[in-house]
Amino acid sequence: MDRRRFLSLSLITAATTALATTGPAPAGAATSRCSFTPDGSGFLLDGAPFQIRSGELHPARIPVEYWQHRIRMAKAMGLNTVSAYVMWNYVEESPGVFDFTTDRRDIVSFLKLCQQEGMWVLLRPGPYVCGEWDLGGIPPYLLQYPYIKLRVKTADDPHYMAAVTRYYGRLVPLIEPLMIDNGGPVLMVQVENEYGSYGSDAAYLEEIRQLWLAGGVHGPFYTQDGIGQVAANHTVVTGGAIGLSGGDAASIAQARSDYPTVPAMAGEVYPGWLTHWGDSTFQGQGTDISGTLRGLMAAKLSFNLYMLHGGTSFGFTAGANADDSSGNYQPDITSYDYAAPVTEQGRATDAYTRYRTLIAGYLTSPPPAVPDPVPTLARAGGLDLMPARHASLWDNLPAPLPAARTVDPQPMESYGQNSGLILYSRRLTGYTGGPLAVRWVHDYATVFLDGHYAGGLYRQTLPAAVTAALNIATANNPLTLGTSGVSGSPQLDILVEGLGRTNYGHALVDRKGILETVTVNGSAPLTGWTTTSLPLDDAFVAGLQPTVTDPHRPGIFFRAQVRIDTPADTYLDLSHWTKGVVWVNGRNLGRYWNIGPQQRLYCPAPWLRAGLNEVIVLDLHQTDPLPLTLQSTLAGPAVGSPAIGPAGWRLVYVDSQETAAENGAAGNAFDGNPATFWHTQWSALNAPLPHEIQLDLGARYAVDSFSYLPRQDGSANGRIGRYEIYVSDSTTAWGAPVATGTLADTASRTTLTLPTTPGRYLRLRALTEAGNRGPWTSAAELGVTGVAI
């Protein structure tokens, strides 16, 4: 899809087509035919005017067990067509090794299911798809060639089109029987994708089209581009229609003016938008395409909603954006919710209802009923998880790669590795500290000296609070290494995580790992590396040896078990964790990262089982386990939930308060007066730590933040250091803490974002005093935000 909103749209009256509601005939029935009107004004189905009303679904992003539900959601919205990508790198992960049959790769079964449900299909098989998918769907194995050129004709590169030809040699025979003129559901096949945003070589597009013709598929075809790119680069194909990214009635009219004999449709109408790690919030939530849809329906013009339902970029499949020099790198989050009308979990949003009503107003018969939502599993008694250390990455390293191939650091693609981690190690003789300079880290690295964490490296910028807490050098700046606690010849380990490969623009050749050189303190480039490939595939995780030799060295796999009586969809809340990957019952849910905005990973019910379920968390930074919770939605209440006024609060319990030598009563911590404060007893007895206070909030809330204001009288005594926070519906069964950590030794207010947790009671435990000044606790004001439930 077009990642640039550079679409120039003019207000021109649209051409018209007629509505049609006919779906594909069952398999084996009489064939139909899709064609174009002689004057190029629209599409025909068996010679009658036909409006394509499509919604985008990606089978690779949807659990197979939910394919039917999502297709039915599309049909119930008044649509008659499903648009679907085939992700080439998902069906051919290694050269010549194809898988079109297992799990979410079975495109034939998906297409047949669309036909069974009475839906036509727009097939988008690449070879390049973009789609916020790693490398835009192109296999990373092609990056093993040093001078590879992507998206070019055979004459321009000896490898790329040879691989495309091999891919189409396996794909086209699967699709040919499913074309409309063979009785199948496929109306049209897209040739490449948004090529006009990349190039203008008509010979390349024609070479791809010829591969379809050679396999017996004679169209109809179509291309997909922004209106500006179509006009500038003429990226249309012989006998092909035009799909417009960001299209509406006006842009269709403009395309018809530029290409009067070629039918056009709004091939990507955006009801939402994509989100990157580090964005302030989930993007696209305020989008309303009612006006665009109304214009398309009134003029009977064809369209495709991108996305109707985004789904999830499970595992390591999420892509990234970068500028054309590979700078301004922005990896995509795991969720592909996209603020689409159907959520990641498959539920209808208010926008879905609004658009369904709008579309139905133009149809001759009402759409079918909306399918029932899939049940969800929210947190409840016993569903909080407290993982334990399970295995250390460092105790489970496989054999390194042959030394002859690792003299210089090279990216993972050089070794046939597609994703995960890659480790570069060597001794630093005569070490005296200084800057560690890496050209270039793609994308995120943790650095160790003699097994001790020394800091990190990230390809792009990060918030100052993150870099300070973890000592991360950003934007490929050097990381300063010290000498404290290390030998004169320490072992240097650079563990590099490959995030998503760029999926849009001219910087597609986005290799992962260390791309060129490493120097320390201005040395010559270091050679003689030991390199270890860590793709973190399912077999590696399943075979982990439960050994943790050094529990203080980051790179630990944590394990939890949770018993579930009836599996249902859920989200694992990882807001207590830092950065890593999660597996549930051996399924890779994807990446998490505390820079947000995503803090929860979707786990579909079919990946759970009745009884015990195993959760594995690999965190690149944390060495102590923290709680996980099961939630029912991608996000909790929006940032800025209302404060819960303390007027209705009641003190349930306090273990200690000073009321003899000063007014240190616990009630001062929620009286609304910062000048008063709670202080634990000190005049007659120095009550020992830990201390705690329990509050009744007066009603049940979905609590999502907690704030702490230390005493404001100038004294530092009693400032809370390490803490635990609990939220519960019972004062006798608190469960696991919803937050733990250490507060700074300052007089400033601290506000903590909590995993959204329902409950009436709040418990604060102070485990230490911030400055170790005594066994005391004090608090001027405690604050809580949340939504009443």
Side-chain angles (χ1 to χ4, degrees):
M1 71 173 290
D2 194 337
R3 293 298 160 263
R4 307 184 183 200
R5 301 179 187 260
F6 299 160
L7 306 178
S8 174
L9 307 179
S10 60
L11 300 177
I12 305 174
T13 303
T16 62
T17 61
L19 290 176
T21 56
T22 306
T31 62
S32 294
R33 183 170 183 267
C34 178
S35 59
F36 309 151
T37 59
D39 65 353
S41 61
F43 301 91
L44 300 174
L45 182 64
D46 292 332
F50 179 65
Q51 182 193 33
I52 299 169
R53 302 187 302 279
S54 175
E56 188 92 11
L57 303 175
H58 297 160
R61 285 183 159 124
I62 305 169
V64 172
E65 296 85 349
Y66 291 159
W67 281 356
Q68 185 178 55
H69 179 269
R70 307 308 194 252
I71 294 167
R72 288 179 174 178
M73 289 295 289
K75 189 171 185 178
M77 194 167 155
L79 306 179
N80 56 24
T81 304
V82 167
S83 176
Y85 279 144
V86 181
M87 316 302 197
W88 174 17
N89 60 17
Y90 193 52
V91 298
E92 192 196 7
E93 295 182 354
S94 300
V97 180
F98 288 90
D99 181 359
F100 284 102
T101 59
T102 63
D103 203 39
R104 304 185 307 280
R105 299 174 176 88
D106 189 354
I107 187 62
V108 169
S109 292
F110 180 80
L111 298 179
K112 289 181 177 179
L113 190 57
C114 289
Q115 182 170 24
Q116 175 185 313
E117 294 298 322
M119 298 290 278
W120 299 106
V121 175
L122 298 175
L123 188 66
R124 311 180 72 183
Y128 164 82
V129 300
C130 187
E132 286 70 64
W133 189 269
D134 187 69
L135 197 53
I138 296 172
Y141 68 70
L142 284 168
L143 303 187
Q144 68 182 295
Y145 303 109
Y147 303 105
I148 187 72
K149 294 180 181 178
L150 304 177
R151 304 179 73 184
V152 296
K153 61 181 179 288
T154 298
D156 292 339
D157 187 273
H159 305 292
Y160 172 71
M161 276 304 298
V164 173
T165 301
R166 181 175 62 227
Y167 164 50
Y168 274 36
R170 295 292 296 270
L171 175 68
V172 175
L174 299 177
I175 302 305
E176 189 268 342
L178 297 171
M179 294 300 298
I180 182 172
D181 51 5
N182 291 325
V186 181
L187 286 174
M188 293 194 294
V189 173
Q190 184 178 309
V191 175
E192 236 265 2
N193 183 58
E194 294 178 334
Y195 181 65
S197 298
Y198 188 83
S200 58
D201 188 354
Y204 166 60
L205 294 179
E206 179 59 21
E207 197 166 347
I208 291 175
R209 191 180 78 97
Q210 287 295 328
L211 293 176
W212 286 100
L213 297 177
V217 175
H218 300 283
F221 300 110
Y222 76 106
T223 54
Q224 180 71 37
D225 277 302
I227 185 65
Q229 286 74 37
V230 175
N233 294 322
H234 308 288
T235 45
V236 295
V237 296
T238 302
I242 297 172
L244 295 170
S245 298
D248 60 7
S251 60
I252 291 174
Q254 182 175 332
R256 293 278 297 114
S257 176
D258 295 340
Y259 296 91
T261 63
V262 180
M265 65 178 290
E268 289 189 357
V269 178
Y270 304 127
W273 201 245
L274 63 115
T275 299
H276 300 119
W277 289 114
D279 284 353
S280 60
T281 188
F282 294 97
Q283 303 300 305
Q285 297 176 88
T287 304
D288 186 349
I289 58 168
S290 295
T292 298
L293 269 181
R294 190 172 292 108
L296 294 165
M297 291 300 299
K300 304 181 179 70
L301 296 170
S302 293
F303 63 88
N304 173 51
L305 302 182
Y306 189 106
M307 299 290 298
L308 174 69
H309 162 66
T312 310
S313 299
F314 293 113
F316 303 122
T317 60
N321 285 104
D323 60 28
D324 284 343
S325 63
S326 197
N328 296 317
Y329 175 75
Q330 297 175 291
D332 297 316
I333 63 173
T334 299
S335 171
Y336 202 55
D337 181 85
Y338 209 83
V342 180
T343 69
E344 179 181 26
Q345 196 266 328
R347 290 180 171 258
T349 64
D350 291 343
Y352 177 94
T353 303
R354 183 166 60 250
Y355 302 153
R356 180 176 187 265
T357 301
L358 189 156
I359 292 170
Y362 291 90
L363 302 180
T364 56
S365 58
V370 179
D372 292 335
V374 176
T376 58
L377 181 67
R379 69 184 299 276
L383 292 185
D384 284 327
L385 314 181
M386 178 56 81
R389 295 186 189 93
H390 172 58
S392 171
L393 181 74
W394 309 100
D395 293 318
N396 282 273
L397 293 178
L401 295 162
R405 300 182 62 197
T406 65
V407 174
D408 297 306
Q410 297 182 57
M412 61 175 64
E413 294 84 359
S414 300
Y415 306 113
Q417 181 181 342
N418 289 343
S419 57
L421 306 172
I422 186 166
L423 174 64
Y424 305 88
S425 305
R426 77 182 304 279
R427 286 279 171 191
L428 299 177
T429 57
Y431 174 75
T432 59
L436 170 71
V438 181
R439 295 173 57 94
W440 310 93
V441 167
H442 281 200
D443 300 295
Y444 187 93
T446 49
V447 180
F448 301 84
L449 288 172
D450 280 344
H452 301 290
Y453 177 76
L457 297 158
Y458 181 49
R459 165 180 183 179
Q460 189 54 36
T461 59
L462 286 170
V466 175
T467 59
L470 299 173
N471 190 30
I472 298 175
T474 60
N476 280 304
N477 287 310
L479 172 68
T480 300
L481 300 178
T483 57
S484 176
V486 298
S487 65
S489 298
Q491 167 94 356
L492 171 66
D493 293 309
I494 306 175
L495 181 65
V496 184
E497 176 192 13
L499 296 171
R501 291 180 182 83
T502 302
N503 57 255
Y504 179 82
H506 287 86
L508 289 178
V509 178
D510 182 14
R511 298 181 177 94
K512 300 303 180 184
I514 295 177
L515 304 193
E516 295 180 10
T517 61
V518 180
T519 65
V520 175
N521 203 19
S523 68
L526 300 175
T527 59
W529 292 88
T530 297
T531 303
T532 306
S533 178
L534 292 160
L536 300 183
D537 55 22
D538 295 347
F540 176 81
V541 175
L544 286 171
Q545 295 301 306
T547 304
V548 183
T549 301
D550 183 354
H552 303 295
R553 185 175 188 180
I556 294 177
F557 291 86
F558 299 85
R559 180 175 180 266
Q561 287 187 314
V562 57
R563 183 174 296 279
I564 295 174
D565 294 331
T566 303
D569 282 6
T570 193
Y571 283 84
L572 271 69
D573 189 303
L574 291 134
S575 53
H576 292 307
W577 297 75
T578 304
K579 190 178 196 306
V581 188
V582 176
W583 292 261
V584 172
N585 294 331
R587 297 271 198 165
N588 189 333
L589 300 189
R591 305 180 182 98
Y592 66 89
W593 197 353
N594 65 355
I595 66 172
Q598 181 176 4
Q599 300 288 358
R600 300 174 181 178
L601 291 179
Y602 173 55
C603 181
W607 295 7
L608 298 169
R609 52 181 173 246
L612 282 179
N613 293 264
E614 180 185 66
V615 179
I616 298 289
V617 180
L618 169 62
D619 198 288
L620 295 178
H621 290 284
Q622 291 185 199
T623 56
D624 293 321
L626 289 171
L628 295 168
T629 59
L630 304 182
Q631 304 286 352
S632 60
T633 58
L634 171 62
V639 174
S641 295
I644 302 171
W649 295 11
R650 180 178 64 86
L651 179 67
V652 174
Y653 170 76
V654 65
D655 78 298
S656 177
Q657 55 186 340
E658 177 61 55
T659 57
E662 67 178 345
N663 178 17
N668 293 336
F670 56 97
D671 65 353
N673 184 359
T676 62
F677 55 89
W678 162 46
H679 199 292
T680 51
Q681 191 176 24
W682 59 268
S683 63
L685 171 70
N686 284 333
L689 287 160
H691 296 299
E692 71 174 90
I693 184 172
Q694 299 178 14
L695 302 174
D696 178 354
L697 302 179
R700 195 166 188 260
Y701 293 91
V703 176
D704 58 14
S705 84
F706 170 83
S707 66
Y708 165 69
L709 181 69
R711 60 191 293 178
Q712 299 294 294
D713 65 347
S715 173
N717 289 344
R719 289 177 184 165
I720 297 174
R722 287 196 300 119
Y723 65 86
E724 293 177 342
I725 299 170
Y726 300 76
V727 176
S728 178
D729 286 317
S730 169
T731 57
T732 59
W734 287 102
V738 298
T740 63
T742 302
L743 298 175
D745 188 10
T746 72
S748 301
R749 182 186 295 271
T750 299
T751 300
L752 305 169
T753 300
L754 306 180
T756 302
T757 307
R760 175 168 180 149
Y761 302 100
L762 178 85
R763 179 191 190 196
L764 170 65
R765 295 189 75 221
L767 307 181
T768 65
E769 203 272 352
N772 294 315
R773 288 172 286 261
W776 307 305
T777 294
S778 64
E781 290 298 316
L782 306 179
V784 181
T785 68
V787 177
I789 54 177

